């Protein structure tokens, strides 16, 4: 094991009863000091995996190591991790200060040390002024800070956060995303955050594990995940993607030659850079913002498709242009509204050329 | 509407009113007096009966609150096969006709050869109060957020600390409400008490009953009024506690 691995999840399986397979053979290593996100749609097993780390669920199979120690049969109250619950679970009958002190008090920390650490923790989340309030006198965002302070005061090796921002409104959520990242950098503790919001995962995390149906599909940095998704699910789940069915017809030094009827009718087979082996059916994918629109045929672009504008949706900073190629494929192009000449004068019904570079094209084998 | 109201409250209002009537008979209004309250307070038999009632209610409330709370808590906490039927069984003593409960209790004491007296009354009261307390606790716990307990474990507390620091404070208003309910039920109970009482174990309601058998004097009215006021006060306190804790939940 590499010495900077703080959490090691090995072949973990979790079944509920005989029919529900919540986590299916997951192996993951999380590094010390990392901001790690578990991302996936509802019901994919993110919470279950997090609860396995916290000790609230026992894996049916496999092993969890935290800082090198096997966590089998280690109770939640003995693990060097702390959790921020989705509902915050702030104790309603205790003041903010009592809430934060709780985790130290129950393990018999001396009073002066409690006072000092509670004060540190409260100032970390800027709650000193509200220390003597009860939770029902706090806003949602403030209650979340209490939950954070209460967990951080324990100086855990890992902080686990289950959808910590999902109960906040959009504006506050954005602010808290930034604050959480700052906080993590300040305290230097490993954060493992569960979210179903891809923007949240991409903007906050150092690395993201994308889950679906109990499986981890890809573990990568946000840019890698966005630019090099390893399968159709990840490509589609992270951001928007134009996806076409294709067929590999040949391979030549680092390139695959693909026939995709929807887009290659006019130009014939296309060559796309691709390192791995590929044969048979593949997916050809291109991000909407990497697509160019022209009135004249862009002869210098190797991949170009003739298409008709079906719809234009205006979002202020950008516009989404929905097109249909002559062979029936749906293509979306996002264009930046860099001048007031809104979406470059494109209107419904226009016949345009859609084009993009081969090096921006993705080949998805699964 | 008005008729129903009249029908409901006329007997009670007149009972209370005539407890202040300055007359030996309960027929015509003769003027205001507190004489019969004094008389009731000086009546040593009534006094003893009242003390008996308080003793029985005190003991049975304490015991049934403890056991009822444990029962209610385990109904909330544990999921086990045949839970539905079991929960139904807990409610059963609440719906069974009181007279049948009484007969069953007497038969039971007879079998175990326990002489009827204050002890048997207390035991019976414990038996019928436990389900009420359990139901109140069960209802209270339905609103409990389980992640609070998980948060407590997560922060390093053991099960015992978690119970006393997190679960118990939440449960407390339910326990107080349940205890007050048990206390009023015990104080007011007639049928079961009547069956399970023995010589020298007269409780307040039974004493009133035996006085009425002689004649309905303003003294009986006075004693009954005291019981009404006591019961209403306890119920009011229980309601206030419950609504206050309810408000807290709604806020939190
Ligand atoms: N205690 C349980 N008993 C039975 N099934 C469970 C239990 N907990 C979770 N599951 C099931 O396991 C699967 C994964 O649940 P989990 O809560 O981990 O999903 P999630 O990814 O956190 O979803 P969400 O985004 O909706 O919170 C779901 O199908 C869920 O129904
Ligand atoms: Mg979840």
């Amino acid at each position: 094991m590499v010495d900077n691995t703080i959490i090691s999840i090995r072949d973990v399986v979790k079944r509920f009863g005989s029919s529900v397979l919540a986590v299916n053979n997951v192996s993951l290593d999380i590094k010390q000091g990392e901001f790690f996100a578990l991302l996936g749609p509802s019901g994919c097993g993110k919470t279950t995996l997090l609860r396995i780390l916290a000790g609230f669920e026992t894996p049916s199979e496999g092993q969890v190591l935290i800082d090198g120690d096997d966590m089998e049969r280690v109770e939640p109250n003995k693990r060097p991790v702390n959790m921020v619950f989705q509902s915050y679970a702030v104790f309603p009958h205790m003041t903010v200060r009592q809430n934060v002190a709780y985790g130290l008090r129950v393990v018999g920390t001396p009073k002066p040390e409690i006072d000092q650490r509670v004060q540190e923790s409260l100032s970390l989340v800027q709650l000193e002024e509200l220390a003597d309030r009860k939770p029902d006198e706090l806003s949602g965002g403030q209650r979340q800070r209490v939950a954070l302070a209460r967990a951080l005061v324990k100086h855990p090796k890992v902080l686990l956060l289950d959808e910590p921002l999902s109960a906040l409104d959009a504006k506050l959520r954005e602010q808290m995303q930034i604050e959480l990242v700052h906080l993590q950098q300040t305290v230097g503790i490993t954060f493992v955050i569960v979210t179903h919001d891809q923007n949240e995962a991409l903007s906050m995390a150092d690395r993201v594990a994308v889950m679906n149906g109990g499986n981890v599909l890809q573990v990568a940095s946000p840019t890698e995940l966005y630019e090099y998704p390893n399968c159709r699910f990840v490509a589609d789940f992270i951001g928007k993607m134009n996806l076409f069915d294709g067929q590999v017809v040949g391979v030549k030094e680092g390139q695959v030659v693909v026939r995709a009827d929807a887009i290659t009718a006019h130009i014939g087979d296309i060559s796309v850079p691709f390192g791995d082996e590929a044969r048979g059916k593949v997916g050809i994918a291109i991000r909407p913002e990497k697509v160019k629109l022209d009135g004249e045929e862009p002869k210098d672009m190797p991949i170009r498709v003739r298409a008709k504008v079906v719809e234009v949706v205006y979002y202020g900073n950008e516009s989404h242009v929905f097109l249909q190629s002559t062979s029936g494929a749906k293509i979306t192009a996002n264009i930046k509204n860099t001048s007031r000449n809104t979406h470059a004068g494109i209107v419904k019904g226009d016949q345009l050329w859609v084009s993009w570079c081969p090096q921006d094209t993705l080949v998805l084998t699964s | 509407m008005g008729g129903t109201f009249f029908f409901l409250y006329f007997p009670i209002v007149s009972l209370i009113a005539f407890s202040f009537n300055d007359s030996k008979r309960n027929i015509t209004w003769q003027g205001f007096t507190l004489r019969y309250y004094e008389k009731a307070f000086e009546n040593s038999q009534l006094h003893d009966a009242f003390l008996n009632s308080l003793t029985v209610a005190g003991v049975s409330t304490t015991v049934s609150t403890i056991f009822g709370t444990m029962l209610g808590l385990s109904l909330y906490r544990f999921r086990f096969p045949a839970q539905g039927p079991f929960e139904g069984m807990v409610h059963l003593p609440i719906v069974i006709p009181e007279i049948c409960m009484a007969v069953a209790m007497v038969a039971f004491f007879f079998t175990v050869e326990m002489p009827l007296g204050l002890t048997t009354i207390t035991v019976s009261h414990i038996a019928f109060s436990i389900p009420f307390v359990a139901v109140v606790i069960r209802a209270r716990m339905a609103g409990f957020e389980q992640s609070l307990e998980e948060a407590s474990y997560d922060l390093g507390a053991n099960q015992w600390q978690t119970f006393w620091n997190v679960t118990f404070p939440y449960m407390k208003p339910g326990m107080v409400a349940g205890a007050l309910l048990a206390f009023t039920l015990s104080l007011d109970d007639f049928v079961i008490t009547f069956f399970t009482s023995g010589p020298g174990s007269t409780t307040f309601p039974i004493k009133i009953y035996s006085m009425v058998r002689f004649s309905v004097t303003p003294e009986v009215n006075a004693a009954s009024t005291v019981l009404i006021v006591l019961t209403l006060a306890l119920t009011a306190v229980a309601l206030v506690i419950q609504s206050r804790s309810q408000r807290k939940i709604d806020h939190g």
Side-chain angles (χ1 to χ4, degrees), chain A residues 86-128:
Chain A
Q86 183 165 7
S87 59
Y88 310 149
V90 172
F91 303 127
H93 57 287
M94 298 181 198
T95 64
V96 170
R97 193 187 301 282
Q98 288 166 337
N99 260 284
V100 178
Y102 182 80
L104 300 176
R105 182 164 63 83
V106 292
V107 297
T109 310
K111 183 90 174 56
E113 189 187 337
I114 293 183
D115 290 344
Q116 187 219 330
R117 276 167 72 174
V118 167
Q119 206 55 41
E120 271 171 26
S121 203
L122 285 174
S123 77
L124 204 58
V125 297
Q126 293 133 41
L127 270 183
E128 297 117 309

Side-chain angles (χ1 to χ4, degrees), chain A residues 46-234:
Chain A
K46 315 176 290 285
T47 297
T48 307
L49 192 56
L50 200 73
R51 289 173 59 83
I52 287 175
L53 298 181
F56 294 121
E57 308 284 357
T58 326
S60 314
E61 287 168 34
Q63 200 185 20
V64 173
L65 305 180
I66 296 176
D67 204 17
D69 298 324
D70 191 346
M71 286 294 123
E72 197 181 352
R73 272 188 264 284
V74 179
E75 294 290 318
N77 56 348
K78 300 276 185 268
R79 295 194 179 200
V81 301
N82 284 104
M83 183 143 165
V84 173
F85 289 79
Q86 183 165 7
S87 59
Y88 310 149
V90 172
F91 303 127
H93 57 287
M94 298 181 198
T95 64
V96 170
R97 193 187 301 282
Q98 288 166 337
N99 260 284
V100 178
Y102 182 80
L104 300 176
R105 182 164 63 83
V106 292
V107 297
T109 310
K111 183 90 174 56
E113 189 187 337
I114 293 183
D115 290 344
Q116 187 219 330
R117 276 167 72 174
V118 167
Q119 206 55 41
E120 271 171 26
S121 203
L122 285 174
S123 77
L124 204 58
V125 297
Q126 293 133 41
L127 270 183
E128 297 117 309
E129 265 113 74
L130 305 179
D132 295 310
R133 291 221 195 149
K134 285 282 187 67
D136 59 1
E137 299 158 348
L138 299 177
S139 71
Q142 290 164 340
R143 246 176 280 170
Q144 173 175 56
R145 285 164 205 265
V146 178
L148 274 169
R150 188 178 66 175
L152 288 172
V153 80
K154 297 279 290 177
H155 298 332
K157 286 178 179 157
V158 180
L159 187 70
L160 309 169
L161 305 103
D162 190 4
E163 310 236 6
L165 307 179
S166 62
L168 306 177
D169 62 56
K171 201 100 193 167
L172 189 57
R173 193 179 315 153
E174 210 164 292
Q175 181 196 333
M176 281 308 289
Q177 283 178 11
I178 298 167
E179 282 191 29
L180 270 182
V181 173
H182 271 295
L183 188 65
Q184 196 263 343
Q185 285 162 354
T186 313
V187 295
I189 293 172
T190 311
F191 277 28
V192 179
I193 186 171
V194 158
T195 176
H196 62 261
D197 180 342
Q198 39 137 335
N199 289 327
E200 210 166 282
L202 295 186
S203 64
M204 294 199 290
D206 299 320
R207 278 199 310 152
V208 182
V210 182
M211 291 184 72
N212 189 35
N215 295 295
V216 170
L217 301 176
Q218 187 172 6
V219 185
S221 69
T223 42
E224 205 184 331
L225 216 51
Y226 188 79
E227 301 298 350
Y228 301 96
N230 68 357
C231 63
R232 280 170 184 250
F233 180 85
V234 176

Side-chain angles (χ1 to χ4, degrees), chain A residues 275-350:
Chain A
D276 279 343
E277 243 175 64
R279 74 172 81 82
K281 285 195 188 315
V282 290
I284 293 297
I286 182 74
R287 294 279 180 202
E289 74 277 8
K290 295 187 170 63
V291 163
K292 281 217 280 289
L293 298 177
D294 293 287
E296 300 293 312
E297 183 171 1
K299 291 252 167 60
D300 54 329
M301 298 292 279
I303 304 177
R304 49 189 194 275
V305 188
R306 183 116 176 106
K308 188 175 146 187
V309 177
V310 180
E311 194 69 72
V312 183
V313 182
Y314 178 64
Y315 286 101
N317 62 335
E318 59 177 22
S319 295
H320 295 181
V321 183
F322 297 93
L323 306 109
Q324 187 156 29
S325 77
T326 38
S327 51
K330 288 189 170 63
I331 308 172
T332 308
N334 295 357
I335 50 176
K336 287 258 169 286
N337 294 323
T338 47
S339 77
R340 282 189 170 170
N341 177 13
T342 309
H343 37 78
I346 294 167
V347 291
K348 196 166 157 179
D350 281 359

